[in-house]
Amino acid sequence: MLLIVVVLVVLLVVISLVKAVQIIPQATAAVIERLGRFKGTADPGLVFLVPFIDKVRERIDLREQVVSFPPQPVITQDNLTVNIDTVVYYQVTDPKAAVYEISDYIVGVEQITTTTLRNVVGGMSLEGTLTSRDEINTVLRGELDEATGRWGIRVARVEIKAIDPPASIQESMERQMKADREKRATILTAEGQRESAIRSAEGQKQAQILTAEGAKQAAILNAEADRQSRILRAQGDRAARYLQAQGQAKAIEKVFAAIKAGKPTPELLAYQYLQTLPQMAQGEANKVWLVPSDFGKALEGFTRMLGAPGEDGVFRFQPSPDDGVQSKPEDDDESIKDWFDTSTNPEIARVVADAEAEARKDVPPPMSSPAPPPAGPPPLPPAGRAPGLPSAPAHDPESATPTPPRGIPQTPSGHEGGGGPRPGYPTPPQQ
């Protein structure tokens, strides 16, 4: 008996110690009752209780809790039933009120959430419900926070997790969205075609403007080139005509001087005149040509005009004095001096010479060939003549041999006839 009593006493002491010492975890509050009445709230840590008098009614988690409620059927303003899932974030701020003010605060939060959600969504259409989640969340949070404040619970956040309309409504919405997307695609396609047409027209406009501008510039350049070429051709023609006229004048002077030096007789002149008559009648417009009756008088007057009577009474030509002065076209008139300026540009000649020297420098001379010509620019043409043009033969009036008249035979000594002077006439001087 004594052993049993001792065991019972030891067991009672152990149970008393276990009931007297309690450990409250962090972020947890314990509601303590003494003899069935609220004594206080124990903070986290080691707590000593009076055995069999004090007890822990409930341990309350002070951390923020998350609870997800099952889908709730809600009718919208347009009489469509949708299922809405909600998530509530709450935290117990007063353990005493959470234990004594309501039997199960989780069920209370769920019911308040459902009723408030039905009130809010009932005043909205389906479109408004789907697009006003933030507004619904704000209204739910305000209503829950006000209702659960006296329960010692603070609702931190309310979120709508999903809104599921009926299958028929979802199908209609999908068709509507599809039609809306097709509409927007058609609008965008038309807009793109419009922009493309505008850009194409703008590009064609710019291309036509540039083409017209190019044609204008080309026409201007062609006209300018034609003008310059005509001016240059006119200048060259002017200089050529002047030189041709001067050459003809010099030729006439030489022929006339040769005739006078040959001292032709009237018979020779008459013979030359007769040889000229067929040439005068060779024109295409000459159908009938008559020899004048005073042909002899014309020959006599021609002889008297060009000749002088000799000792025997025969008219003979007297050579004109030759001063030996040769005039140049630019000496006749200072204003035409630049017509005959064909000197090359020194800069162009230098560039051409450098290019030829560079081209010749890299070519090694062959072993068996003679020594190459010295490197360097080719000799420049004389001043007054363009490169590439043949030089005009020097015109020496003294060295030019007069051309005898046509039809008069020449002897090796330069006199008319076959062998010597004609009888009855003096011997002409040597040339």
Side-chain angles (χ1 to χ4, degrees):
M1 290 296 294
L2 182 59
L3 181 59
I4 294 173
V5 172
V6 172
V7 170
L8 291 175
V9 171
V10 171
L11 183 59
L12 181 61
V13 170
V14 171
I15 294 173
S16 299
L17 291 175
V18 170
K19 288 183 174 293
V21 178
Q22 296 288 331
I23 298 177
I24 307 300
Q26 182 67 33
T28 303
V31 178
I32 300 174
E33 293 181 351
R34 174 171 291 180
L35 298 177
R37 295 184 61 184
F38 174 75
K39 176 181 181 293
T41 302
D43 296 329
L46 185 62
V47 178
F48 295 98
L49 302 177
V50 177
F52 304 106
I53 295 177
D54 297 337
K55 71 173 183 177
V56 177
R57 169 72 182 269
E58 191 173 352
R59 297 176 183 266
I60 304 299
D61 193 349
L62 300 179
R63 294 175 298 177
E64 186 172 347
Q65 303 293 321
V66 180
V67 58
S68 177
F69 300 127
Q72 301 293 328
V74 180
I75 300 176
T76 61
Q77 187 178 10
D78 46 3
N79 297 325
L80 293 177
T81 303
V82 294
N83 295 324
I84 301 178
D85 296 346
T86 55
V87 178
V88 178
Y89 298 82
Y90 69 94
Q91 184 179 12
V92 177
T93 58
D94 188 0
K96 177 183 176 182
V99 173
Y100 296 106
E101 295 295 334
I102 187 171
S103 61
D104 191 349
Y105 56 86
I106 298 297
V107 176
V109 170
E110 180 181 1
Q111 296 301 323
I112 292 178
T113 303
T114 301
T115 55
T116 306
L117 186 62
R118 287 176 178 175
N119 292 333
V120 174
V121 175
M124 295 182 178
S125 63
L126 179 61
E127 293 290 338
T129 303
L130 295 176
T131 58
S132 303
R133 292 196 177 191
D134 292 339
E135 182 180 353
I136 295 174
N137 295 336
T138 303
V139 174
L140 286 177
R141 181 182 177 280
E143 292 291 335
L144 289 175
D145 197 14
E146 182 180 357
T148 59
R150 56 190 180 88
W151 298 342
I153 297 174
R154 182 181 66 85
V155 178
R157 192 172 182 181
V158 179
E159 294 288 343
I160 295 178
K161 186 167 62 173
I163 300 177
D164 298 327
S168 58
I169 301 301
Q170 290 184 4
E171 184 178 356
S172 300
M173 292 174 62
E174 289 177 358
R175 288 199 301 267
Q176 181 181 359
M177 294 300 296
K178 182 179 179 181
D180 190 23
R181 290 190 180 94
E182 291 177 354
K183 173 185 174 183
R184 285 185 291 178
T186 304
I187 293 174
L188 292 178
T189 302
E191 189 71 20
Q193 292 177 355
R194 172 176 171 272
E195 291 292 333
S196 176
I198 292 174
R199 295 293 177 87
S200 300
E202 192 71 23
Q204 292 178 0
K205 172 186 174 183
Q206 294 295 332
Q208 291 177 358
I209 291 175
L210 293 178
T211 302
E213 189 69 24
K216 172 186 173 184
Q217 294 295 332
I220 293 174
L221 293 178
N222 291 333
E224 185 66 22
D226 189 21
R227 171 178 171 273
Q228 293 292 337
S229 64
R230 289 186 179 183
I231 291 175
L232 293 178
R233 288 193 187 98
Q235 291 178 353
D237 191 17
R238 178 180 62 179
R241 288 184 179 181
Y242 190 91
L243 290 176
Q244 184 178 5
Q246 191 182 38
Q248 291 177 357
K250 292 297 181 182
I252 292 173
E253 289 179 4
K254 289 295 181 181
V255 172
F256 189 71
I259 292 174
K260 297 178 76 174
K263 298 180 179 180
T265 61
E267 293 83 357
L268 177 61
L269 294 177
Y271 178 72
Q272 288 291 103
Y273 183 69
L274 291 175
Q275 284 185 338
T276 309
L277 291 179
Q279 298 180 2
M280 296 173 61
Q282 286 179 358
E284 295 180 358
N286 295 334
K287 303 301 182 182
V288 179
W289 193 78
L290 299 176
V291 178
S293 60
D294 55 349
F295 180 67
K297 291 183 179 181
L299 291 178
E300 183 180 356
F302 181 72
T303 305
R304 290 180 180 276
M305 180 179 62
L306 298 179
E311 295 178 358
D312 53 358
V314 179
F315 283 86
R316 292 180 177 85
F317 285 102
Q318 297 295 330
S320 300
D322 190 2
D323 54 0
V325 178
Q326 299 293 330
S327 63
K328 296 182 179 179
E330 55 269 21
D331 297 336
D332 298 341
D333 190 357
E334 186 68 23
S335 62
I336 64 172
K337 186 175 181 179
D338 57 342
W339 293 4
F340 312 97
D341 186 10
T342 57
S343 59
T344 184
N345 191 350
E347 184 67 21
I348 298 178
R350 184 182 62 80
V351 173
V352 173
D354 294 343
E356 291 183 357
E358 185 67 22
R360 294 176 181 177
K361 183 175 62 176
D362 297 335
V363 179
M367 300 300 296
S368 60
S369 63
L380 297 177
R385 187 174 76 251
L389 297 178
S391 60
H395 184 71
D396 189 3
E398 298 296 334
S399 62
T401 303
T403 305
R406 180 178 178 185
I408 301 178
Q410 294 292 323
T411 62
S413 60
H415 300 287
E416 302 90 344
R422 299 177 62 183
Y425 294 94
T427 303
Q430 296 292 334
Q431 297 189 11

